[in-house]
Amino acid sequence: MVDYSIFPLDEEIKDKLAKLEISYAFQPIFYPNGKDIYAYEALMRPKNILVMDLIEEFRAKNDLHTLEVATIFGAVQCYAKRGYHSYIAINSFPAESFTAEEQAVFDEFYADVLGDKGIIEILEYTALDIDKWQSKKNSINRSRFNIALDDFGTGYSNFHYLYNLKPDCIKVDRGLMKNALANQYENMLLKHMIDMAHSVGVKMCIEGIETQEELDKILEMGCDYIQGYYFSKPLPFNEIEEYLKKKRK
């Protein structure tokens, strides 16, 4: 479980964090060769509750900010314990950002640990608040992190987000990917989307790849990164390397 007691944060939010029982699984994001790891995506695993139910619980209390702090501090704490140097992708709400105090504490603990290896994956769960996003973007830029737009093609995650967030990477969710592989029209749209992203310097990651057939078709489109159960399921950090070694034998 994440130990939030070590962080000198405001007492009110520390009390809230102390009640959370959270650990993290990590799912690798690969380069197109399917062997070299580009980044590890940190996925929250709360105890005795599904993560979406936890998000709904805090959304109902108008307190997604607490989960934002819990996610970023917790994910990096788990990552740092393993001493890895690959990028870490951290899920984040589009309308939430650190306070100045929280940012200072995060920098004190983890700026040297991460360097520029952070990727903030903007979720599609809540609508975009432009003013809050600008504050968040300023913090991301100061940390020299990359921005990824998660689950493109679902929920709020669409071209409005793409225009306002100006991400470094777009992650295409499994639903859109499956439709594109089953339908020629959507196949052409996805291929053009990848080409368009590349034309403005944006990388493309295809999520949810589960079969060799899906992989072969996606690679033909020229994506930059790939992710899915075909390569690795989400695992604790201390199990990922051993899992991949066994799988490649």
Side-chain angles (χ1 to χ4, degrees), residues 42-90:
L43 300 168
M44 181 186 286
R45 293 293 184 262
K47 186 176 180 180
N48 299 325
I49 186 172
L50 297 174
V51 66
M52 288 306 301
D53 291 340
L54 183 67
I55 290 172
E56 286 303 317
E57 176 185 318
F58 275 78
R59 182 175 6 207
K61 295 187 293 187
N62 195 29
D63 191 21
L64 286 177
H65 180 78
T66 294
L67 286 191
E68 177 81 1
V69 175
T71 297
I72 297 178
F73 275 84
V76 179
Q77 182 183 110
C78 294
Y79 168 90
K81 286 180 179 179
R82 297 297 300 169
Y84 282 91
H85 300 289
S86 299
Y87 282 85
I88 176 174
I90 310 166

Side-chain angles (χ1 to χ4, degrees), residues 7 16 43 45 94 103 116 134 151-152 172 175 188 190 224:
F7 303 116
K16 295 177 183 178
L43 300 168
R45 293 293 184 262
Q103 185 65 52
D116 61 354
Q134 191 56 55
D151 291 329
F152 188 81
V172 174
M188 292 176 62
L190 180 56
D224 301 282

